[in-house]
Amino acid sequence: MAIELSAARTPIVFEPESFRQQLEEWFVTALPAIWGGSAPPVRPTEADDMEMRRRFDRALYAAGWAALSWPREYGGLDADVDFERILAEESAVAGAPERYNRVGLGIVAPALINHGSAAQKERYLIPLLKADEVWCQGFSEPNAGSDLASLTTRASLVDGCWRITGQKVWTTLATVSDFCFLLARTGDPHSAHRGITAFIVPMNQPGVTIRPIRQINDSAEFSEVFFDDAETVQDPVIGEVNGGWQLAMTVLSYERSTNLLNRQTRLAVALNALRGAVAQLGDSVPASLVDDLVELWIRSEALRHTVREHLAEIGVGRAPGIGNNATKVYWSETYQALGALAVQIRGLACEQGELSDDEPDWYGYYLGSRAASIYAGTDEVQRNIIAERGLGLPRYAP
Ligand SMILES: Cc1cc2nc3c(=O)[nH]c(=O)nc-3n(C[C@H](O)[C@H](O)[C@H](O)COP(=O)(O)OP(=O)(O)OC[C@H]3O[C@@H](n4cnc5c(N)ncnc54)[C@H](O)[C@@H]3O)c2cc1C
């Protein structure tokens, strides 16, 4: 299907394959500027990584490709989601960084587009796309992760304005965010999922304290965030008061589907790099490791096809189904197996003195993969959902 791209600049009409070619050419000139030099640094510092990501978001916006499948009135192109797939594939192959405002794009934007007021859409969506305003997601708390309905962060109406008090944790990008998409309790303490509301809270204010958490891979991308009578913005409620639960569940299900596209394409690119390393080591690689690599390639191809099917369903207006939960588990297991195999191959390369300077950071990759079975809903909880809602099995009651 041809679409007309009239986003930012001159209108052009093209087909998916010419879009792919256009992207390939665009990356050749755009990427050196995004990397801040002529080639991508193998192990960028955290600050450089953030800066590259921000440049990538801005370059995409300037090219008119920041939100291909979004409605035009919010900065998108109303394009088929298949164009998003092509962009994700070409970005991964070209070695482009991940999107900077990925929490905003993956979670906040669907919430605003589907549940926000007209004024909220107009105020927030374009600055989000341009990465002029960065967003974080304040859902998890020390005692409310998988069991999100037990969250205790409180929102109270003071002189007609909502104020927030409580603690969030594991808040990705909190240190660089302008706004938090936050769930707080507005019903009584026992109201569970019925008494939760979604708010927009500015991060740069005296009522917000951010303490970064440094992880095993040395990244401090997420933080503990303390809200002490923090102010909200004007018109701060997304959706209805006490209607935050359903809204949150819907956007999380989108996170497990559209984000899978980026995750799957990046996994395929990492697998290809590992295949290259194995080929270089030749016969010294034990047959069992070669078998593992083949198994991962089969899983990666299965993922590619499954993710395409999920996207096709979203493309015809269906909400993400239980298959997305299964694919999330399959992806995280594949990613972790790839990380584990990569460090074994790297060990072999070390033994044989075959390490080069431009080797991917496989240890960082391995450590990063450990979190994949936790974020976007833990694998154990996904299995519960698949069992109960997908297969109709009885609820486990210990
Ligand atoms: C890299 C990363 C980034 C994150 N970014 C964000 C963010 O930006 N914003 C945000 O709000 N949160 C974020 N999170 C938090 C994430 O959503 C939670 O870690 C996740 O929901 C699990 O909650 P928890 O850590 O409290 O673990 P818990 O819910 O306490 O779970 C502990 C263990 O018990 C298991 N378990 C719990 N309940 C059940 C059950 N009913 N049946 C079987 N097993 C169960 C879990 O699977 C897990 O293994 C991030 C997490 C990670 C790792």
Side-chain angles (χ1 to χ4, degrees), residues 137-140 145-146 170-172 222 371 374-375 378 380-381 384:
Q137 171 205 356
F139 286 15
S140 305
S146 304
W170 317 128
T171 316
T172 303
F222 57 33
I374 302 173
Y375 55 76
T378 70
E380 291 82 0
V381 170
N384 285 353

Side-chain angles (χ1 to χ4, degrees), residues 163-181:
R163 298 237 173 201
I164 309 290
T165 298
Q167 185 195 342
K168 297 291 173 179
V169 71
W170 317 128
T171 316
T172 303
L173 296 178
T175 50
V176 292
S177 285
D178 299 283
F179 295 107
C180 184
F181 169 40

Side-chain angles (χ1 to χ4, degrees), residues 45-306:
T45 63
E46 199 156 329
D48 285 349
D49 185 51
M50 292 276 197
E51 182 50 32
M52 285 189 296
R53 292 187 201 189
R54 192 193 278 267
R55 282 193 212 127
F56 183 44
D57 277 14
R58 289 190 171 152
L60 275 180
Y61 183 81
W65 299 327
L68 294 162
S69 62
W70 286 20
R72 281 176 192 269
E73 62 264 44
Y74 310 135
L77 291 172
D78 262 330
D80 193 287
V81 280
D82 211 37
F83 284 85
E84 300 275 14
R85 179 180 62 77
I86 295 169
L87 175 62
E89 286 172 1
E90 289 305 317
S91 304
V93 170
E98 269 191 282
R99 300 288 289 270
Y100 184 57
N101 219 354
R102 64 183 196 278
V103 177
L105 290 160
I107 294 179
V108 183
L112 287 171
I113 290 174
N114 292 308
H115 306 276
S117 66
Q120 286 170 337
K121 290 173 194 174
E122 191 177 335
R123 162 65 187 82
Y124 296 110
L125 286 170
I126 298 287
L128 183 157
L129 267 190
K130 292 161 89 172
D132 284 350
E133 288 175 348
V134 178
W135 287 76
C136 60
Q137 171 205 356
F139 286 15
S140 305
E141 298 183 1
N143 293 312
S146 304
D147 183 15
L148 193 57
S150 62
L151 62 84
T152 56
T153 292
R154 178 91 219 157
S156 317
L157 262 178
V158 181
D159 297 332
C161 299
W162 289 101
R163 298 237 173 201
I164 309 290
T165 298
Q167 185 195 342
K168 297 291 173 179
V169 71
W170 317 128
T171 316
T172 303
L173 296 178
T175 50
V176 292
S177 285
D178 299 283
F179 295 107
C180 184
F181 169 40
L182 175 138
L183 292 183
R185 186 153 302 285
T186 38
D188 70 59
H190 306 292
S191 54
H193 59 277
R194 292 179 309 282
I196 291 174
T197 303
F199 287 94
I200 302 171
V201 183
M203 293 294 281
N204 300 313
Q205 59 163 308
V208 175
T209 307
I210 304 169
R211 284 199 207 136
I213 302 172
R214 192 156 292 280
Q215 300 166 67
I216 194 170
N217 62 357
D218 205 32
S219 157
E221 212 187 28
F222 57 33
S223 304
E224 294 179 288
V225 185
F226 299 85
F227 297 88
D228 184 10
D229 204 21
E231 291 176 6
T232 54
V233 296
Q234 227 185 349
D235 185 18
V237 174
I238 306 179
E240 305 283 323
V241 172
N242 291 331
W245 180 257
Q246 199 48 48
L247 181 155
M249 291 305 108
T250 313
V251 295
L252 285 178
S253 73
Y254 277 97
E255 198 220 353
R256 278 191 283 270
S257 53
T258 43
N259 275 2
L260 267 176
L261 173 63
N262 291 317
R263 289 169 180 158
Q264 174 267 317
T265 46
R266 285 178 188 275
L267 187 138
V269 168
L271 184 59
N272 201 35
L274 190 61
R275 184 192 57 75
V278 169
Q280 207 173 350
L281 287 169
D283 291 345
S284 61
V285 180
S288 64
L289 294 190
V290 175
D291 284 351
D292 290 346
L293 186 71
V294 173
E295 169 74 27
L296 284 172
W297 187 83
I298 294 167
R299 290 181 72 103
S300 169
E301 284 299 289
L303 262 174
R304 187 160 69 86
H305 290 286
T306 316

Side-chain angles (χ1 to χ4, degrees), residues 302-326:
L303 262 174
R304 187 160 69 86
H305 290 286
T306 316
V307 168
R308 270 188 188 208
E309 280 187 17
H310 293 331
L311 284 183
E313 296 209 335
I314 291 177
V316 294
R318 286 198 205 111
I322 214 81
N324 290 86
N325 301 70

